[in-house]
Amino acid sequence: LRLTVTDDDGGSASDSTTVTVANLPPQLQVTDPGPLSEDALFTLTGELTGDFTFDDVVDPVTIRVDFGDGTVVPAALFADQGVHRFALQHAYANDGPFTITVTATDDEGASFPVTLPVSVANVPPDPDVNRDGSVDAFDLAALKSIFYSRNPAGDLDENGFVNAGDLRVLLDAIAAANAAMAAGTQPV
């Protein structure tokens, strides 16, 4: 930066100095998605905040979302009334506590992470396993397939152990399906 001062008699003086402008990370605000249930789709939203000029070419910002269940995805920013926002949909396959981490990073590598703890509620199994509108022998076959594909180790109650509780979960599901078939009823 160079500064020159001139008086009304034509005399002048100059001086210069170096100015270093620090890069600040983009600021981010993430909205709590509220109560969550396993296998239920929800939308995570957020926006860039703070005092900055955003231009996709001059100052690009990338958003990365880690849902805490092994799913890590980029989020596209879109302009909405002058605010740069993102929205992503996700569903947790299992219940439990998770931490969502959303990180905004600019083109110079400055980043700003936001963490959001969430709790996902368990949803009891539906005896209409194959979702065909009736409870029948096909549901028992589908239940067996799901049992082995989701839990090859056999931990159905997801307590970290294979024990009598896992057998109870499977027997309860089979009993519910058999009772519904015997009664000729269908889940509503």
Side-chain angles (χ1 to χ4, degrees):
L1 176 66
R2 182 163 183 80
L3 176 66
T4 302
V5 178
T6 306
D7 67 17
D8 59 350
D9 293 327
S12 66
S14 296
D15 199 5
S16 64
T17 188
T18 302
V19 176
T20 303
V21 178
N23 181 38
L24 296 175
Q27 301 295 299
L28 184 64
Q29 181 179 5
V30 180
T31 304
D32 186 329
L36 302 175
S37 298
E38 63 184 351
D39 293 324
L41 196 62
F42 71 95
T43 302
L44 180 70
T45 61
E47 64 185 48
L48 292 175
T49 61
D51 189 18
F52 69 97
T53 301
F54 181 83
D55 183 306
D56 289 339
V57 177
V58 177
D59 194 16
V61 173
T62 58
I63 305 291
R64 180 180 158 269
V65 179
D66 181 342
F67 285 99
D69 64 351
T71 305
V72 180
V73 294
L77 287 168
F78 61 92
D80 178 21
Q81 299 178 2
V83 178
H84 290 82
R85 304 178 193 276
F86 72 88
L88 283 176
Q89 291 190 321
H90 185 68
Y92 287 98
N94 293 305
D95 61 298
F98 296 92
T99 299
I100 300 172
T101 303
V102 182
T103 305
T105 306
D106 69 14
D107 62 334
E108 294 182 28
S111 63
F112 184 82
V114 173
T115 58
L116 182 66
V118 294
S119 182
V120 179
N122 184 38
V123 176
D126 181 351
D128 183 17
V129 177
N130 66 358
R131 307 283 191 258
D132 66 356
S134 64
V135 178
D136 52 30
F138 295 109
D139 294 306
L140 295 177
L143 184 63
K144 181 179 176 186
S145 172
I146 289 170
F147 169 71
Y148 288 111
S149 68
R150 287 192 179 171
N151 291 296
D155 185 17
L156 280 182
D157 60 2
E158 298 176 351
N159 67 355
F161 303 97
V162 176
N163 56 22
D166 303 307
L167 180 58
R168 175 58 33 213
V169 170
L170 181 59
L171 292 177
D172 287 349
I174 291 171
N178 280 333
M181 284 189 304
T185 59
Q186 296 182 10
V188 178

